[in-house]
Amino acid sequence: MADFRVRQEDPVQQETVAQGPAKKRGRPPKQKLEEGKLQGVHESSPAKKPKRTLDRFNGMSVEEVMAKTLPDIIAYNLDILIIGINPGLLSAYKGRHYPNPGNHFWKCLFLSGLTDEQLNHMHDQTLPERYGIGFTNMVERTTPGSKDLSSKEFREGGRQLLEKLKKYRPCIAAFNGKCIYEIFCKEIFGIKAKNLEFGLQPYKIPDTETVCYLMPSSSPRCAQFPRAQDKVHFYIKLKELRDQIKGIVKNPDVQETNYSFDIDMAKEDAKRIAIKEEQQDPGYEASSGGYPVTQQGTSFCSPQSMGAFYGGSSDCTYSTHFNMQY
């Protein structure tokens, strides 16, 4: 006879089957833990807004702007040839020299008397004929910054600049920035320049009478001279050098003015009105018709006016002559 008895299983085994597999002790796996955290972050944090893109070049990409070049504005026997490092993006896009409103070049040019009115980048083509001033760069390639240029490009650019100076023979080769002249001096004269001083340099361009003049960079990012008024002195000396070479007699009506002011007080005043660097110059835009131009007079700086401008007078004495417009 068949055995139909039901076999009773071990109670411990029945309990194990009912509860399922036993849980492992210890920390959960790292991957699962990270997934859980990420899921919690996504559920709790709001969706991020897409970044706003700035259209700097009217729909052109940076790569397209970098493919553009900036033509020289040059002629034979100029009084002054301004030499920059290479075209920036805005210069290449607009096809003009020094178009950035924050750049101090055009303002210093006017304050020093090298031009008789406030000009801007839209007038760059007129300078050779009107004032005997031209523009070129050591390296032709457009980049976002000079740090994007290779040492090979600087060396080749220095040789090309030398040929250009020999061909056009300006009276003065004015290097707009210490970095440019250091590279040029090493490449052309074989001299590693140390402790360079701004102003007239001891070397002439080979086989020419062209002298070299070094002035601070007109960029507002120039740490040593961050404001336009800090650089005007070197443009004044450039004008004096030009007049001396050309044999221009000084106007007897222009007299040197001695004035004194407190340097520390001037610095404190600059901090108080938050003048760190000039982002935009209203006069710069006004000269191109962007804003209404008000009639302003030009006068010489007197000790009283300079003292009032800097908030006092004291130790530091500075002697020069120039037309200043405030």
Side-chain angles (χ1 to χ4, degrees), residues 119-152:
L119 305 176
N120 64 20
H121 64 282
M122 297 302 293
H123 303 96
D124 59 359
Q125 297 279 354
T126 67
L127 260 64
E129 184 176 350
R130 293 178 64 185
Y131 302 105
I133 299 174
F135 300 92
T136 189
N137 288 292
M138 179 178 284
V139 181
E140 294 181 357
R141 186 168 74 91
T142 300
T143 61
S146 58
K147 66 181 187 302
D148 300 305
L149 298 171
S150 66
S151 56
K152 181 181 178 182

PDB file of all heavy atoms in Angstrom, residues 119-152:
ATOM      1  N   LEU A 119      40.023 111.966 -30.881  1.00  0.00           N
ATOM      2  CA  LEU A 119      39.679 111.042 -31.953  1.00  0.00           C
ATOM      3  C   LEU A 119      39.398 109.663 -31.367  1.00  0.00           C
ATOM      4  O   LEU A 119      39.575 109.427 -30.175  1.00  0.00           O
ATOM      5  CB  LEU A 119      40.817 110.964 -32.971  1.00  0.00           C
ATOM      6  CG  LEU A 119      41.283 112.288 -33.589  1.00  0.00           C
ATOM      7  CD1 LEU A 119      42.473 112.057 -34.508  1.00  0.00           C
ATOM      8  CD2 LEU A 119      40.139 112.962 -34.346  1.00  0.00           C
ATOM      9  N   ASN A 120      38.967 108.743 -32.232  1.00  0.00           N
ATOM     10  CA  ASN A 120      38.815 107.351 -31.807  1.00  0.00           C
ATOM     11  C   ASN A 120      39.198 106.428 -32.964  1.00  0.00           C
ATOM     12  O   ASN A 120      39.748 106.871 -33.973  1.00  0.00           O
ATOM     13  CB  ASN A 120      37.393 107.076 -31.297  1.00  0.00           C
ATOM     14  CG  ASN A 120      36.343 107.249 -32.387  1.00  0.00           C
ATOM     15  OD1 ASN A 120      36.653 107.215 -33.589  1.00  0.00           O
ATOM     16  ND2 ASN A 120      35.109 107.435 -31.994  1.00  0.00           N
ATOM     17  N   HIS A 121      38.900 105.142 -32.814  1.00  0.00           N
ATOM     18  CA  HIS A 121      39.358 104.159 -33.792  1.00  0.00           C
ATOM     19  C   HIS A 121      38.811 104.393 -35.197  1.00  0.00           C
ATOM     20  O   HIS A 121      39.414 103.952 -36.172  1.00  0.00           O
ATOM     21  CB  HIS A 121      38.974 102.751 -33.324  1.00  0.00           C
ATOM     22  CG  HIS A 121      37.496 102.525 -33.236  1.00  0.00           C
ATOM     23  ND1 HIS A 121      36.726 102.994 -32.185  1.00  0.00           N
ATOM     24  CD2 HIS A 121      36.643 101.889 -34.062  1.00  0.00           C
ATOM     25  CE1 HIS A 121      35.469 102.652 -32.373  1.00  0.00           C
ATOM     26  NE2 HIS A 121      35.382 101.980 -33.502  1.00  0.00           N
ATOM     27  N   MET A 122      37.689 105.099 -35.310  1.00  0.00           N
ATOM     28  CA  MET A 122      37.113 105.363 -36.625  1.00  0.00           C
ATOM     29  C   MET A 122      37.946 106.370 -37.435  1.00  0.00           C
ATOM     30  O   MET A 122      37.740 106.517 -38.627  1.00  0.00           O
ATOM     31  CB  MET A 122      35.676 105.872 -36.487  1.00  0.00           C
ATOM     32  CG  MET A 122      34.723 104.864 -35.852  1.00  0.00           C
ATOM     33  SD  MET A 122      34.647 103.300 -36.763  1.00  0.00           S
ATOM     34  CE  MET A 122      33.879 103.837 -38.283  1.00  0.00           C
ATOM     35  N   HIS A 123      38.885 107.024 -36.773  1.00  0.00           N
ATOM     36  CA  HIS A 123      39.736 107.998 -37.460  1.00  0.00           C
ATOM     37  C   HIS A 123      41.126 107.456 -37.763  1.00  0.00           C
ATOM     38  O   HIS A 123      41.998 108.213 -38.210  1.00  0.00           O
ATOM     39  CB  HIS A 123      39.888 109.260 -36.593  1.00  0.00           C
ATOM     40  CG  HIS A 123      38.595 109.925 -36.232  1.00  0.00           C
ATOM     41  ND1 HIS A 123      37.949 109.687 -35.038  1.00  0.00           N
ATOM     42  CD2 HIS A 123      37.822 110.806 -36.911  1.00  0.00           C
ATOM     43  CE1 HIS A 123      36.851 110.409 -34.985  1.00  0.00           C
ATOM     44  NE2 HIS A 123      36.737 111.094 -36.108  1.00  0.00           N
ATOM     45  N   ASP A 124      41.368 106.163 -37.505  1.00  0.00           N
ATOM     46  CA  ASP A 124      42.740 105.661 -37.619  1.00  0.00           C
ATOM     47  C   ASP A 124      43.319 105.812 -39.028  1.00  0.00           C
ATOM     48  O   ASP A 124      44.522 106.033 -39.193  1.00  0.00           O
ATOM     49  CB  ASP A 124      42.827 104.200 -37.136  1.00  0.00           C
ATOM     50  CG  ASP A 124      41.918 103.252 -37.929  1.00  0.00           C
ATOM     51  OD1 ASP A 124      41.190 103.711 -38.842  1.00  0.00           O
ATOM     52  OD2 ASP A 124      41.929 102.034 -37.625  1.00  0.00           O
ATOM     53  N   GLN A 125      42.473 105.725 -40.051  1.00  0.00           N
ATOM     54  CA  GLN A 125      42.966 105.848 -41.427  1.00  0.00           C
ATOM     55  C   GLN A 125      43.438 107.258 -41.762  1.00  0.00           C
ATOM     56  O   GLN A 125      44.214 107.451 -42.697  1.00  0.00           O
ATOM     57  CB  GLN A 125      41.852 105.447 -42.414  1.00  0.00           C
ATOM     58  CG  GLN A 125      41.389 103.996 -42.303  1.00  0.00           C
ATOM     59  CD  GLN A 125      42.317 103.056 -43.033  1.00  0.00           C
ATOM     60  OE1 GLN A 125      43.252 103.485 -43.708  1.00  0.00           O
ATOM     61  NE2 GLN A 125      42.089 101.759 -42.897  1.00  0.00           N
ATOM     62  N   THR A 126      42.995 108.246 -40.991  1.00  0.00           N
ATOM     63  CA  THR A 126      43.330 109.642 -41.296  1.00  0.00           C
ATOM     64  C   THR A 126      44.632 110.102 -40.638  1.00  0.00           C
ATOM     65  O   THR A 126      45.156 111.165 -40.984  1.00  0.00           O
ATOM     66  CB  THR A 126      42.204 110.578 -40.835  1.00  0.00           C
ATOM     67  OG1 THR A 126      42.124 110.566 -39.390  1.00  0.00           O
ATOM     68  CG2 THR A 126      40.860 110.130 -41.389  1.00  0.00           C
ATOM     69  N   LEU A 127      45.159 109.326 -39.703  1.00  0.00           N
ATOM     70  CA  LEU A 127      46.311 109.799 -38.932  1.00  0.00           C
ATOM     71  C   LEU A 127      47.602 109.969 -39.736  1.00  0.00           C
ATOM     72  O   LEU A 127      48.349 110.919 -39.479  1.00  0.00           O
ATOM     73  CB  LEU A 127      46.559 108.875 -37.736  1.00  0.00           C
ATOM     74  CG  LEU A 127      46.007 109.417 -36.405  1.00  0.00           C
ATOM     75  CD1 LEU A 127      44.487 109.513 -36.459  1.00  0.00           C
ATOM     76  CD2 LEU A 127      46.432 108.540 -35.241  1.00  0.00           C
ATOM     77  N   PRO A 128      47.917 109.098 -40.701  1.00  0.00           N
ATOM     78  CA  PRO A 128      49.168 109.325 -41.447  1.00  0.00           C
ATOM     79  C   PRO A 128      49.210 110.684 -42.138  1.00  0.00           C
ATOM     80  O   PRO A 128      50.234 111.379 -42.095  1.00  0.00           O
ATOM     81  CB  PRO A 128      49.176 108.175 -42.466  1.00  0.00           C
ATOM     82  CG  PRO A 128      48.392 107.095 -41.814  1.00  0.00           C
ATOM     83  CD  PRO A 128      47.305 107.806 -41.063  1.00  0.00           C
ATOM     84  N   GLU A 129      48.132 111.068 -42.761  1.00  0.00           N
ATOM     85  CA  GLU A 129      48.117 112.331 -43.498  1.00  0.00           C
ATOM     86  C   GLU A 129      47.997 113.529 -42.564  1.00  0.00           C
ATOM     87  O   GLU A 129      48.658 114.557 -42.756  1.00  0.00           O
ATOM     88  CB  GLU A 129      46.948 112.338 -44.491  1.00  0.00           C
ATOM     89  CG  GLU A 129      46.912 113.571 -45.378  1.00  0.00           C
ATOM     90  CD  GLU A 129      45.801 113.517 -46.408  1.00  0.00           C
ATOM     91  OE1 GLU A 129      45.178 112.439 -46.556  1.00  0.00           O
ATOM     92  OE2 GLU A 129      45.554 114.541 -47.067  1.00  0.00           O
ATOM     93  N   ARG A 130      47.168 113.415 -41.519  1.00  0.00           N
ATOM     94  CA  ARG A 130      46.908 114.559 -40.646  1.00  0.00           C
ATOM     95  C   ARG A 130      48.015 114.777 -39.619  1.00  0.00           C
ATOM     96  O   ARG A 130      48.382 115.922 -39.324  1.00  0.00           O
ATOM     97  CB  ARG A 130      45.576 114.378 -39.918  1.00  0.00           C
ATOM     98  CG  ARG A 130      44.362 114.420 -40.829  1.00  0.00           C
ATOM     99  CD  ARG A 130      43.079 114.185 -40.032  1.00  0.00           C
ATOM    100  NE  ARG A 130      42.850 115.238 -39.060  1.00  0.00           N
ATOM    101  CZ  ARG A 130      41.841 115.221 -38.170  1.00  0.00           C
ATOM    102  NH1 ARG A 130      40.998 114.196 -38.155  1.00  0.00           N
ATOM    103  NH2 ARG A 130      41.689 116.210 -37.312  1.00  0.00           N
ATOM    104  N   TYR A 131      48.547 113.677 -39.060  1.00  0.00           N
ATOM    105  CA  TYR A 131      49.489 113.812 -37.946  1.00  0.00           C
ATOM    106  C   TYR A 131      50.795 113.041 -38.137  1.00  0.00           C
ATOM    107  O   TYR A 131      51.638 113.056 -37.244  1.00  0.00           O
ATOM    108  CB  TYR A 131      48.818 113.353 -36.642  1.00  0.00           C
ATOM    109  CG  TYR A 131      47.565 114.128 -36.315  1.00  0.00           C
ATOM    110  CD1 TYR A 131      46.299 113.564 -36.490  1.00  0.00           C
ATOM    111  CD2 TYR A 131      47.638 115.436 -35.844  1.00  0.00           C
ATOM    112  CE1 TYR A 131      45.150 114.269 -36.191  1.00  0.00           C
ATOM    113  CE2 TYR A 131      46.488 116.150 -35.540  1.00  0.00           C
ATOM    114  CZ  TYR A 131      45.246 115.564 -35.718  1.00  0.00           C
ATOM    115  OH  TYR A 131      44.106 116.267 -35.430  1.00  0.00           O
ATOM    116  N   GLY A 132      50.956 112.360 -39.247  1.00  0.00           N
ATOM    117  CA  GLY A 132      52.191 111.617 -39.482  1.00  0.00           C
ATOM    118  C   GLY A 132      52.346 110.407 -38.578  1.00  0.00           C
ATOM    119  O   GLY A 132      53.471 110.035 -38.232  1.00  0.00           O
ATOM    120  N   ILE A 133      51.227 109.802 -38.180  1.00  0.00           N
ATOM    121  CA  ILE A 133      51.235 108.651 -37.275  1.00  0.00           C
ATOM    122  C   ILE A 133      50.639 107.442 -37.986  1.00  0.00           C
ATOM    123  O   ILE A 133      49.573 107.551 -38.613  1.00  0.00           O
ATOM    124  CB  ILE A 133      50.433 108.951 -35.988  1.00  0.00           C
ATOM    125  CG1 ILE A 133      51.073 110.136 -35.242  1.00  0.00           C
ATOM    126  CG2 ILE A 133      50.366 107.726 -35.079  1.00  0.00           C
ATOM    127  CD1 ILE A 133      50.279 110.602 -34.029  1.00  0.00           C
ATOM    128  N   GLY A 134      51.305 106.291 -37.896  1.00  0.00           N
ATOM    129  CA  GLY A 134      50.816 105.063 -38.506  1.00  0.00           C
ATOM    130  C   GLY A 134      50.742 103.927 -37.494  1.00  0.00           C
ATOM    131  O   GLY A 134      51.142 104.076 -36.337  1.00  0.00           O
ATOM    132  N   PHE A 135      50.215 102.778 -37.954  1.00  0.00           N
ATOM    133  CA  PHE A 135      49.996 101.639 -37.064  1.00  0.00           C
ATOM    134  C   PHE A 135      50.478 100.346 -37.718  1.00  0.00           C
ATOM    135  O   PHE A 135      50.273 100.136 -38.920  1.00  0.00           O
ATOM    136  CB  PHE A 135      48.502 101.474 -36.745  1.00  0.00           C
ATOM    137  CG  PHE A 135      47.874 102.665 -36.073  1.00  0.00           C
ATOM    138  CD1 PHE A 135      47.266 103.664 -36.821  1.00  0.00           C
ATOM    139  CD2 PHE A 135      47.903 102.788 -34.696  1.00  0.00           C
ATOM    140  CE1 PHE A 135      46.685 104.759 -36.211  1.00  0.00           C
ATOM    141  CE2 PHE A 135      47.328 103.881 -34.072  1.00  0.00           C
ATOM    142  CZ  PHE A 135      46.719 104.868 -34.828  1.00  0.00           C
ATOM    143  N   THR A 136      51.081  99.488 -36.908  1.00  0.00           N
ATOM    144  CA  THR A 136      51.419  98.139 -37.348  1.00  0.00           C
ATOM    145  C   THR A 136      51.481  97.247 -36.115  1.00  0.00           C
ATOM    146  O   THR A 136      51.372  97.715 -34.972  1.00  0.00           O
ATOM    147  CB  THR A 136      52.753  98.111 -38.114  1.00  0.00           C
ATOM    148  OG1 THR A 136      52.926  96.813 -38.694  1.00  0.00           O
ATOM    149  CG2 THR A 136      53.922  98.398 -37.198  1.00  0.00           C
ATOM    150  N   ASN A 137      51.686  95.941 -36.345  1.00  0.00           N
ATOM    151  CA  ASN A 137      51.820  94.968 -35.259  1.00  0.00           C
ATOM    152  C   ASN A 137      53.015  94.075 -35.530  1.00  0.00           C
ATOM    153  O   ASN A 137      53.400  93.860 -36.687  1.00  0.00           O
ATOM    154  CB  ASN A 137      50.554  94.109 -35.136  1.00  0.00           C
ATOM    155  CG  ASN A 137      49.387  94.884 -34.559  1.00  0.00           C
ATOM    156  OD1 ASN A 137      49.382  95.267 -33.398  1.00  0.00           O
ATOM    157  ND2 ASN A 137      48.384  95.129 -35.387  1.00  0.00           N
ATOM    158  N   MET A 138      53.578  93.541 -34.467  1.00  0.00           N
ATOM    159  CA  MET A 138      54.716  92.645 -34.624  1.00  0.00           C
ATOM    160  C   MET A 138      54.285  91.326 -35.249  1.00  0.00           C
ATOM    161  O   MET A 138      54.953  90.786 -36.125  1.00  0.00           O
ATOM    162  CB  MET A 138      55.384  92.387 -33.274  1.00  0.00           C
ATOM    163  CG  MET A 138      56.567  91.437 -33.353  1.00  0.00           C
ATOM    164  SD  MET A 138      57.394  91.185 -31.774  1.00  0.00           S
ATOM    165  CE  MET A 138      58.295  92.710 -31.632  1.00  0.00           C
ATOM    166  N   VAL A 139      53.136  90.781 -34.797  1.00  0.00           N
ATOM    167  CA  VAL A 139      52.609  89.520 -35.324  1.00  0.00           C
ATOM    168  C   VAL A 139      51.255  89.806 -35.968  1.00  0.00           C
ATOM    169  O   VAL A 139      50.432  90.521 -35.409  1.00  0.00           O
ATOM    170  CB  VAL A 139      52.454  88.466 -34.207  1.00  0.00           C
ATOM    171  CG1 VAL A 139      51.924  87.155 -34.760  1.00  0.00           C
ATOM    172  CG2 VAL A 139      53.783  88.235 -33.500  1.00  0.00           C
ATOM    173  N   GLU A 140      51.028  89.249 -37.144  1.00  0.00           N
ATOM    174  CA  GLU A 140      49.805  89.540 -37.888  1.00  0.00           C
ATOM    175  C   GLU A 140      48.609  88.706 -37.435  1.00  0.00           C
ATOM    176  O   GLU A 140      47.468  89.120 -37.612  1.00  0.00           O
ATOM    177  CB  GLU A 140      50.039  89.292 -39.384  1.00  0.00           C
ATOM    178  CG  GLU A 140      51.043  90.251 -40.017  1.00  0.00           C
ATOM    179  CD  GLU A 140      51.224  89.991 -41.502  1.00  0.00           C
ATOM    180  OE1 GLU A 140      50.595  89.025 -42.007  1.00  0.00           O
ATOM    181  OE2 GLU A 140      51.972  90.735 -42.148  1.00  0.00           O
ATOM    182  N   ARG A 141      48.850  87.530 -36.852  1.00  0.00           N
ATOM    183  CA  ARG A 141      47.756  86.607 -36.528  1.00  0.00           C
ATOM    184  C   ARG A 141      46.895  87.157 -35.398  1.00  0.00           C
ATOM    185  O   ARG A 141      47.395  87.651 -34.390  1.00  0.00           O
ATOM    186  CB  ARG A 141      48.303  85.233 -36.141  1.00  0.00           C
ATOM    187  CG  ARG A 141      47.227  84.177 -35.933  1.00  0.00           C
ATOM    188  CD  ARG A 141      47.836  82.784 -35.855  1.00  0.00           C
ATOM    189  NE  ARG A 141      48.518  82.546 -34.595  1.00  0.00           N
ATOM    190  CZ  ARG A 141      47.929  82.017 -33.518  1.00  0.00           C
ATOM    191  NH1 ARG A 141      46.634  81.717 -33.536  1.00  0.00           N
ATOM    192  NH2 ARG A 141      48.634  81.813 -32.414  1.00  0.00           N
ATOM    193  N   THR A 142      45.576  87.048 -35.564  1.00  0.00           N
ATOM    194  CA  THR A 142      44.617  87.489 -34.560  1.00  0.00           C
ATOM    195  C   THR A 142      44.435  86.408 -33.502  1.00  0.00           C
ATOM    196  O   THR A 142      44.252  85.236 -33.827  1.00  0.00           O
ATOM    197  CB  THR A 142      43.262  87.802 -35.212  1.00  0.00           C
ATOM    198  OG1 THR A 142      43.441  88.839 -36.188  1.00  0.00           O
ATOM    199  CG2 THR A 142      42.237  88.244 -34.190  1.00  0.00           C
ATOM    200  N   THR A 143      44.477  86.796 -32.231  1.00  0.00           N
ATOM    201  CA  THR A 143      44.253  85.869 -31.128  1.00  0.00           C
ATOM    202  C   THR A 143      43.458  86.576 -30.033  1.00  0.00           C
ATOM    203  O   THR A 143      43.434  87.809 -29.967  1.00  0.00           O
ATOM    204  CB  THR A 143      45.580  85.374 -30.527  1.00  0.00           C
ATOM    205  OG1 THR A 143      46.311  86.497 -30.014  1.00  0.00           O
ATOM    206  CG2 THR A 143      46.430  84.647 -31.556  1.00  0.00           C
ATOM    207  N   PRO A 144      42.814  85.806 -29.130  1.00  0.00           N
ATOM    208  CA  PRO A 144      42.126  86.436 -27.994  1.00  0.00           C
ATOM    209  C   PRO A 144      43.082  87.185 -27.074  1.00  0.00           C
ATOM    210  O   PRO A 144      42.705  88.155 -26.440  1.00  0.00           O
ATOM    211  CB  PRO A 144      41.482  85.243 -27.275  1.00  0.00           C
ATOM    212  CG  PRO A 144      41.344  84.183 -28.320  1.00  0.00           C
ATOM    213  CD  PRO A 144      42.537  84.358 -29.214  1.00  0.00           C
ATOM    214  N   GLY A 145      44.339  86.729 -26.994  1.00  0.00           N
ATOM    215  CA  GLY A 145      45.332  87.403 -26.157  1.00  0.00           C
ATOM    216  C   GLY A 145      46.731  87.096 -26.649  1.00  0.00           C
ATOM    217  O   GLY A 145      46.957  86.144 -27.396  1.00  0.00           O
ATOM    218  N   SER A 146      47.701  87.894 -26.211  1.00  0.00           N
ATOM    219  CA  SER A 146      49.080  87.702 -26.668  1.00  0.00           C
ATOM    220  C   SER A 146      49.668  86.392 -26.152  1.00  0.00           C
ATOM    221  O   SER A 146      50.612  85.858 -26.738  1.00  0.00           O
ATOM    222  CB  SER A 146      49.951  88.878 -26.208  1.00  0.00           C
ATOM    223  OG  SER A 146      49.919  89.001 -24.794  1.00  0.00           O
ATOM    224  N   LYS A 147      49.121  85.873 -25.057  1.00  0.00           N
ATOM    225  CA  LYS A 147      49.632  84.608 -24.513  1.00  0.00           C
ATOM    226  C   LYS A 147      49.364  83.430 -25.457  1.00  0.00           C
ATOM    227  O   LYS A 147      49.962  82.360 -25.290  1.00  0.00           O
ATOM    228  CB  LYS A 147      49.010  84.327 -23.148  1.00  0.00           C
ATOM    229  CG  LYS A 147      47.517  84.063 -23.172  1.00  0.00           C
ATOM    230  CD  LYS A 147      46.973  83.830 -21.787  1.00  0.00           C
ATOM    231  CE  LYS A 147      45.512  83.408 -21.822  1.00  0.00           C
ATOM    232  NZ  LYS A 147      44.631  84.362 -22.481  1.00  0.00           N
ATOM    233  N   ASP A 148      48.480  83.618 -26.429  1.00  0.00           N
ATOM    234  CA  ASP A 148      48.168  82.556 -27.378  1.00  0.00           C
ATOM    235  C   ASP A 148      49.177  82.473 -28.520  1.00  0.00           C
ATOM    236  O   ASP A 148      49.065  81.599 -29.381  1.00  0.00           O
ATOM    237  CB  ASP A 148      46.764  82.775 -27.966  1.00  0.00           C
ATOM    238  CG  ASP A 148      45.690  82.767 -26.893  1.00  0.00           C
ATOM    239  OD1 ASP A 148      45.629  81.782 -26.142  1.00  0.00           O
ATOM    240  OD2 ASP A 148      44.933  83.745 -26.794  1.00  0.00           O
ATOM    241  N   LEU A 149      50.142  83.385 -28.548  1.00  0.00           N
ATOM    242  CA  LEU A 149      51.171  83.375 -29.588  1.00  0.00           C
ATOM    243  C   LEU A 149      52.360  82.528 -29.142  1.00  0.00           C
ATOM    244  O   LEU A 149      52.702  82.488 -27.959  1.00  0.00           O
ATOM    245  CB  LEU A 149      51.637  84.803 -29.887  1.00  0.00           C
ATOM    246  CG  LEU A 149      50.587  85.766 -30.434  1.00  0.00           C
ATOM    247  CD1 LEU A 149      51.133  87.185 -30.465  1.00  0.00           C
ATOM    248  CD2 LEU A 149      50.128  85.339 -31.813  1.00  0.00           C
ATOM    249  N   SER A 150      52.984  81.874 -30.090  1.00  0.00           N
ATOM    250  CA  SER A 150      54.156  81.052 -29.787  1.00  0.00           C
ATOM    251  C   SER A 150      55.427  81.880 -29.885  1.00  0.00           C
ATOM    252  O   SER A 150      55.456  82.953 -30.517  1.00  0.00           O
ATOM    253  CB  SER A 150      54.229  79.867 -30.755  1.00  0.00           C
ATOM    254  OG  SER A 150      54.465  80.319 -32.076  1.00  0.00           O
ATOM    255  N   SER A 151      56.503  81.379 -29.280  1.00  0.00           N
ATOM    256  CA  SER A 151      57.788  82.078 -29.350  1.00  0.00           C
ATOM    257  C   SER A 151      58.299  82.134 -30.792  1.00  0.00           C
ATOM    258  O   SER A 151      58.958  83.097 -31.199  1.00  0.00           O
ATOM    259  CB  SER A 151      58.808  81.381 -28.453  1.00  0.00           C
ATOM    260  OG  SER A 151      58.939  80.019 -28.812  1.00  0.00           O
ATOM    261  N   LYS A 152      57.969  81.121 -31.581  1.00  0.00           N
ATOM    262  CA  LYS A 152      58.373  81.119 -32.990  1.00  0.00           C
ATOM    263  C   LYS A 152      57.697  82.264 -33.741  1.00  0.00           C
ATOM    264  O   LYS A 152      58.326  82.944 -34.567  1.00  0.00           O
ATOM    265  CB  LYS A 152      58.002  79.784 -33.632  1.00  0.00           C
ATOM    266  CG  LYS A 152      58.397  79.674 -35.093  1.00  0.00           C
ATOM    267  CD  LYS A 152      57.978  78.336 -35.686  1.00  0.00           C
ATOM    268  CE  LYS A 152      58.333  78.253 -37.175  1.00  0.00           C
ATOM    269  NZ  LYS A 152      57.893  76.971 -37.779  1.00  0.00           N
TER     270      LYS A 152
END
